[in-house]
Amino acid sequence: MMQTILIVEDEPKLAEVLRDYLRHAGFKTFWIVSGSAAVPWVREHAPALILLDLMLPERNGLEICRDIRTFSSVPIIMITARIEEIDRLQGLESGADDYICKPFSPREVVARVRAVLRRTEGGASSPPVGLIMDQSRYQATLNGHDLGLTAVEFNLLQFLSSKTGQVCTRQQLMDSIYPDERIVSDRTIDSHIKKLRKKIALANANAEVIHSIYGVGYKFELQEESMPLSA
Ligand code: CA
């Protein structure tokens, strides 16, 4: 199957040259001019790689890159017109996999595209599977989807997931999210759990990960749903 390369570039001539070379090299291409259209397109179509211009009308490449990284680890090559930008971008941990400076030779771009695809092959271009908790940013992603948790929900999920397969009582959960021994009711926990489940369902409708254990509390279990059922 041909891999699709998305080109986000507002200079038509440049985009045209890239398309020609990439098609010649055996890739399918799709070209988007506007920064605001790029993210929704990527969500819909999951390209194999993105060539992303830094300076775009409406939204710059850096913002687009960060947005895409909240739901996908698709390889991104950032294109900038200033060589000194590259240092800055690398320092920012922009989320891009490689950087190319204008003016470039289209041949070089094709070589870089191939190199990045080789490097990231084997799952890196599809969203990571499972639950990833980033404590420094209070960010939890499930199968590549950012859950958008509050700090309390994050702590709750972290505690539950650290006890995978074990039943946690409401008291344990309360202690985990309110270490200052604040008095909170059982219903507070239940309402946090409810919101947490809703957010998990939004990210992945098939993932039933927080199970109620009647009269006791809750249990976290992440089931692998990716295996196809055999006949
Ligand atoms: Ca530009």
Side-chain angles (χ1 to χ4, degrees), residues 9-11 53-57 102:
E9 170 62 72
D10 59 319
E11 289 166 55
D53 186 24
L54 183 66
M55 296 302 286
L56 291 161
K102 292 178 188 174

Side-chain angles (χ1 to χ4, degrees), residues 8-87:
V8 188
E9 170 62 72
D10 59 319
E11 289 166 55
K13 272 190 186 155
L14 212 53
E16 196 52 48
V17 174
L18 287 174
R19 296 182 85 174
D20 282 352
Y21 271 80
L22 286 166
R23 282 176 182 166
H24 237 83
F27 295 104
K28 251 163 76 175
T29 61
F30 194 87
W31 173 36
I32 289 179
V33 178
S34 108
S36 56
V39 176
W41 194 90
V42 173
R43 262 186 208 282
E44 283 276 298
H45 297 89
L49 184 144
I50 303 169
L51 286 171
L52 180 59
D53 186 24
L54 183 66
M55 296 302 286
L56 291 161
E58 296 168 49
R59 304 197 65 199
N60 72 46
L62 204 55
E63 289 173 339
I64 295 169
C65 191
R66 285 194 182 132
D67 262 18
I68 291 171
R69 280 293 171 262
T70 64
F71 64 91
S72 167
S73 55
V74 56
I76 296 175
I77 300 179
M78 194 95 86
I79 298 175
T80 166
R82 290 184 16 223
I83 188 90
E84 60 268 31
E85 270 291 293
I86 292 179
D87 281 343

Side-chain angles (χ1 to χ4, degrees), residues 125-145:
S125 60
S126 53
V129 175
L131 180 71
I132 295 165
M133 309 285 294
D134 181 349
Q135 175 79 61
S136 65
R137 294 192 293 163
Y138 280 89
Q139 191 185 48
T141 51
L142 182 62
N143 298 335
H145 300 274

Side-chain angles (χ1 to χ4, degrees), residues 3 5 24 39 46 53 55 83 101 121-122 128 149 151 168 177 182 222:
Q3 291 176 300
I5 311 291
H24 237 83
V39 176
D53 186 24
M55 296 302 286
I83 188 90
C101 190
E121 223 165 55
L149 303 184
C168 302
I177 59 173
R182 193 184 317 181
L222 196 55

